[in-house]
Coordinates of all heavy atoms in Angstrom, one line a residue:
T160 N 58.2 -46.2 -55.4 CA 56.8 -45.7 -55.4 C 56.3 -45.8 -56.8 O 57.0 -46.1 -57.8 CB 56.7 -44.3 -54.9 OG1 57.3 -43.4 -55.9 CG2 57.5 -44.2 -53.6
G161 N 55.0 -45.5 -57.0 CA 54.4 -45.5 -58.3 C 55.0 -44.4 -59.2 O 54.8 -44.5 -60.4
E162 N 55.6 -43.4 -58.6 CA 56.2 -42.3 -59.4 C 57.7 -42.4 -59.4 O 58.4 -41.4 -59.7 CB 55.7 -41.0 -58.8 CG 54.2 -40.8 -58.9 CD 53.8 -39.5 -58.3 OE1 54.6 -38.8 -57.8 OE2 52.6 -39.2 -58.4
G163 N 58.3 -43.5 -59.1 CA 59.7 -43.7 -59.1 C 60.3 -43.9 -57.7 O 59.6 -44.0 -56.7
K164 N 61.6 -44.0 -57.7 CA 62.3 -44.3 -56.4 C 62.5 -43.0 -55.6 O 62.7 -41.9 -56.2 CB 63.7 -44.9 -56.7 CG 63.6 -46.3 -57.4 CD 65.0 -46.8 -57.6 CE 64.9 -48.2 -58.1 NZ 66.3 -48.8 -58.3
R165 N 62.4 -43.1 -54.3 CA 62.5 -42.0 -53.4 C 63.5 -42.4 -52.3 O 63.4 -43.4 -51.6 CB 61.2 -41.6 -52.8 CG 60.1 -41.1 -53.8 CD 60.5 -39.7 -54.2 NE 59.4 -39.1 -55.0 CZ 59.3 -39.2 -56.3 NH1 60.2 -40.0 -57.0 NH2 58.3 -38.7 -56.9
P166 N 64.5 -41.5 -51.9 CA 65.3 -41.7 -50.7 C 64.4 -41.8 -49.5 O 63.4 -41.0 -49.4 CB 66.2 -40.5 -50.7 CG 66.2 -40.0 -52.1 CD 64.8 -40.3 -52.7
A167 N 64.6 -42.7 -48.6 CA 63.7 -42.9 -47.5 C 64.4 -43.3 -46.2 O 65.6 -43.7 -46.2 CB 62.7 -43.9 -47.9
W168 N 63.7 -43.1 -45.1 CA 64.2 -43.6 -43.8 C 63.3 -44.7 -43.4 O 62.0 -44.7 -43.7 CB 64.1 -42.5 -42.7 CG 65.1 -41.4 -42.9 CD1 66.5 -41.4 -42.6 CD2 64.8 -40.1 -43.4 NE1 67.0 -40.2 -42.9 CE2 66.1 -39.4 -43.3 CE3 63.7 -39.4 -43.8 CZ2 66.2 -38.0 -43.8 CZ3 63.8 -38.1 -44.2 CH2 65.0 -37.4 -44.2
Y169 N 63.8 -45.7 -42.7 CA 63.0 -46.9 -42.3 C 63.2 -47.1 -40.8 O 64.3 -47.2 -40.3 CB 63.6 -48.2 -43.0 CG 63.6 -48.0 -44.6 CD1 64.6 -47.4 -45.2 CD2 62.5 -48.5 -45.3 CE1 64.6 -47.3 -46.6 CE2 62.5 -48.4 -46.7 CZ 63.6 -47.8 -47.3 OH 63.6 -47.7 -48.7
L170 N 62.1 -47.0 -40.1 CA 62.1 -47.0 -38.6 C 61.2 -48.1 -38.1 O 60.1 -48.4 -38.6 CB 61.5 -45.7 -38.1 CG 62.2 -44.4 -38.6 CD1 61.3 -43.2 -38.5 CD2 63.5 -44.2 -37.8
K171 N 61.7 -48.8 -37.0 CA 61.0 -49.8 -36.3 C 60.7 -49.3 -34.9 O 61.6 -48.9 -34.2 CB 61.7 -51.1 -36.3 CG 61.0 -52.2 -35.6 CD 61.8 -53.5 -35.6 CE 62.0 -54.0 -37.0 NZ 62.7 -55.3 -37.0
I172 N 59.4 -49.2 -34.5 CA 59.1 -48.7 -33.2 C 58.5 -49.8 -32.3 O 58.2 -50.9 -32.8 CB 58.0 -47.5 -33.3 CG1 56.7 -48.1 -33.9 CG2 58.5 -46.4 -34.1 CD1 55.6 -47.1 -33.9
G173 N 58.5 -49.5 -31.0 CA 58.0 -50.5 -30.0 C 56.5 -50.7 -30.0 O 55.8 -50.0 -30.7
K174 N 56.1 -51.7 -29.3 CA 54.7 -52.1 -29.2 C 54.0 -51.3 -28.2 O 54.5 -50.6 -27.4 CB 54.6 -53.6 -28.9 CG 55.3 -54.5 -29.9 CD 55.1 -56.0 -29.6 CE 55.8 -56.9 -30.6 NZ 55.7 -58.3 -30.2

Side-chain angles (χ1 to χ4, degrees):
T160 71
E162 299 180 354
K164 296 182 177 181
R165 295 285 189 273
W168 292 282
Y169 304 83
L170 303 158
K171 185 180 293 184
I172 63 172
K174 299 179 180 180

